[in-house]
Amino acid sequence: MGSRWKGVIPRQSWQSSHALLLLPIALIVVIMVADLRTPEDIHLGPALVIAPALTPSFAGPRSTALVGALAVAAQIVIAVFHGGLGTANHVVQTVTLVLLSAIVVVYSAVRERRRAQLAQVRTVAEAAQHVLMWPLPEYIGPLRIASLYLAAEDEAQIGGDLYAAARGDRAVRVLIGDVRGKGLSAIGEAALLLGAFRESSHRHVSLPELATSLEQSVQRYSAELDTPEEAGERFVTALLVEIPDEDPLTRMTSAGHPPPLLLSPGHVVTVPSLHPSPPLGVPGPDGPEHTLDVFSFEPGDTLLLYTDGVVEARDGQGRFYPLAERVAQWTDAAPESLMHHIRRDLLAHAGGRLGDDAALIALHRTAAVHRRHHHGVLGHGAGRP
């Protein structure tokens, strides 16, 4: 499917930009005809500059130069029929139009280069996303999954938030975490935690043991990279959830991470009881003691995991985003639809831009166990709306 759309979209864009070129060309013709039909003391020629000025909004420098040349040619035609090319007024108008068109072409070339640079940044971000954070499957075990990632960093598609899922013999383990900081500077620590989860998720019986293993990885990373000024500044909040295939009793362990929301049919939203330990990497005298919490996750329910970038998003008056209140109206929605609603509502609340990276996972428990993914670890860091 990717190769199919890769060819269709550029072709549609090419056709659209060339169709839009008819607008400045028609404008040139209209202005020229109008000027030729008006008395000689009324000059509409200066309005020709509008045509090349409009063109960079939908076309490149070559098309802009072509429109500029047509505008100059139209000005010459007007001059020939209204007093001749040698009149001072027409000479000034023609020279001015040539100079302004040249400036617009230079602007278009700079804009085109900037657009190419941004496209390259997006391509690199996408490549890093797929290498570091593998996509989550639509189905795994008894779960139907949808995810959303919104990076706060301009032009970035990944940042310090992360999530992953591991398929065991008769259970699914899910990790969601939030590295201190945002954007590209936090990617290294996010990749470290994902690698540690992929390596350790199958080797530890209990979630507290797995959390301790992740804690040790973060501490080793901090000890190697921290300067004396940064000591104690690197930490990660993380939530580990284990969902058995047959048993609704679900286990979770939190290291300073917000509790999930349990969405039940009929607009019911509850917050499972959670006893978090300090975030991973926060130094302590004896090390953190990770607690195991349990709750019932029944078929038909949806478990919503999220990072604090969601609930700490503010509107123009400084009010936090009321996630639990907003999702109550969408408890019956499928995971993909739920992510779509939250994305639109969250960005509207924050005025179109978030102050921190934000990630969410919707885990809908079905009655059937999907056997396509028996083993392996999957993760994702950039969103699927």
Side-chain angles (χ1 to χ4, degrees):
M1 179 176 286
S3 61
R4 174 189 170 191
W5 289 109
K6 192 178 293 184
V8 173
I9 294 175
R11 186 187 308 166
Q12 290 177 341
S13 177
W14 181 88
Q15 291 174 344
S16 175
S17 63
H18 279 67
L20 287 172
L21 273 177
L22 296 176
L23 175 62
I25 294 174
L27 186 62
I28 291 172
V29 173
V30 169
I31 292 173
M32 181 181 67
V33 172
D35 195 298
L36 292 175
R37 289 179 174 272
T38 57
E40 291 188 10
D41 58 338
I42 298 177
H43 305 286
L44 300 178
L48 288 169
V49 75
I50 298 174
L54 285 176
T55 308
S57 62
F58 53 81
R62 291 184 179 180
S63 298
T64 303
L66 173 62
V67 172
L70 291 176
V72 172
Q75 176 62 48
I76 292 174
V77 171
I78 292 172
V80 169
F81 284 91
H82 277 182
L85 287 173
T87 60
N89 182 54
H90 288 139
V91 169
V92 170
Q93 288 186 30
T94 303
V95 172
T96 301
L97 183 57
V98 169
L99 292 176
L100 290 177
S101 296
I103 292 173
V104 172
V105 170
V106 171
Y107 162 76
S108 178
V110 172
R111 185 172 179 268
E112 192 76 8
R113 174 184 286 186
R114 174 62 175 165
R115 182 183 297 170
Q117 290 173 342
L118 293 180
Q120 185 176 15
V121 169
R122 293 190 187 100
T123 301
V124 172
E126 271 188 42
Q129 164 198 330
H130 289 294
V131 169
L132 298 178
M133 304 186 189
W134 308 338
L136 292 176
E138 185 178 358
Y139 291 97
I140 180 171
L143 305 175
R144 181 179 178 183
I145 303 178
S147 56
L148 172 64
Y149 195 103
L150 297 171
E153 192 84 358
D154 287 342
E155 304 306 330
Q157 305 211 11
I158 51 178
D161 289 7
L162 56 104
Y163 43 77
R167 179 73 175 122
D169 290 333
R170 291 181 297 274
V172 177
R173 284 182 168 179
V174 180
L175 162 71
I176 187 168
D178 184 1
V179 176
R180 180 183 181 272
K182 64 181 180 180
L184 300 178
S185 63
I187 290 178
E189 291 174 77
L192 168 82
L193 193 62
L194 283 171
F197 177 75
R198 292 165 184 157
E199 178 67 23
S200 305
S201 59
H202 300 292
R203 295 193 290 108
H204 295 281
V205 176
S206 70
L207 290 185
E209 290 177 349
L210 177 55
T212 299
S213 177
L214 298 180
E215 171 78 33
Q216 293 169 351
S217 297
V218 172
Q219 288 179 350
R220 284 194 299 269
Y221 181 83
S222 299
E224 292 175 0
L225 296 182
D226 278 358
T227 63
E229 295 78 15
E230 294 176 327
E233 293 297 319
R234 294 181 186 270
F235 61 86
V236 184
T237 69
L239 179 68
L240 295 165
V241 181
E242 184 177 83
I243 305 163
D245 288 351
E246 309 296 342
D247 189 352
L249 200 63
T250 297
R251 294 171 281 275
M252 63 181 174
T253 293
S254 172
H257 201 82
L261 298 179
L262 185 63
L263 284 56
S264 301
H267 308 290
V268 177
V269 178
T270 57
V271 182
S273 179
L274 189 64
H275 302 84
S277 60
L280 305 178
V282 173
D286 303 317
E289 293 185 4
H290 300 288
T291 303
L292 185 67
D293 294 294
V294 296
F295 63 98
S296 182
F297 182 20
E298 302 286 346
D301 291 345
T302 298
L303 189 64
L304 183 64
L305 314 181
Y306 57 92
T307 58
D308 60 8
V310 178
V311 293
E312 292 179 0
R314 298 174 181 264
D315 63 10
Q317 299 179 352
R319 294 173 297 191
F320 292 116
Y321 180 67
L323 179 63
E325 175 186 324
R326 297 295 178 89
V327 299
Q329 58 189 312
W330 306 311
T331 57
D332 297 322
E336 295 83 359
S337 179
L338 177 62
M339 292 294 100
H340 173 75
H341 289 309
I342 294 176
R343 182 184 189 276
R344 183 177 57 187
D345 193 55
L346 177 61
L347 290 177
H349 175 87
R353 181 172 180 174
L354 301 179
D356 192 9
D357 299 330
L360 302 100
I361 311 175
L363 308 170
H364 179 76
R365 183 163 195 140
T366 63
V369 176
H370 301 269
R371 301 291 182 182
R372 284 189 297 169
H373 300 280
H374 286 277
H375 303 283
V377 182
L378 304 108
H380 193 47
R384 206 169 96 186

